[in-house]
Amino acid sequence: MTDTPVEQMTFEQAMKELEAVVGQLERGDVALDQSIALYERGAALKKRCEDELKRAEEKVAAITLDADGQPTGTTPVEGQ
């Protein structure tokens, strides 16, 4: 586990750490108190990933293409 607060992690960082946490828990070679801490960290990481995916889905859903193939919608396109 890293010391980085979950809310400051990118999706990729959270996912990588979540995979490591799941691996440790699946091996079953950690003490009960450490397993509980890993489970709690894993739950927070899972929520972070879900929240980031939801934000990304909302951005994608807000973008539609007009007849000319140009983006339209409520999300501004960067650089325009």
Side-chain angles (χ1 to χ4, degrees), residues 64-72 80:
T64 58
L65 300 178
D66 64 17
D68 297 325
Q70 297 300 311
T72 61
Q80 290 187 2

Side-chain angles (χ1 to χ4, degrees), residues 1 16-46:
M1 282 192 310
K16 183 177 179 180
E17 186 173 336
L18 180 57
E19 289 172 352
V21 166
V22 168
Q24 284 183 288
L25 290 171
E26 285 178 338
R27 283 191 302 278
D29 58 357
V30 292
L32 179 58
D33 58 337
Q34 186 181 5
S35 293
I36 292 168
L38 284 169
Y39 174 82
E40 291 171 345
R41 178 74 173 186
L45 291 163
K46 177 184 172 282

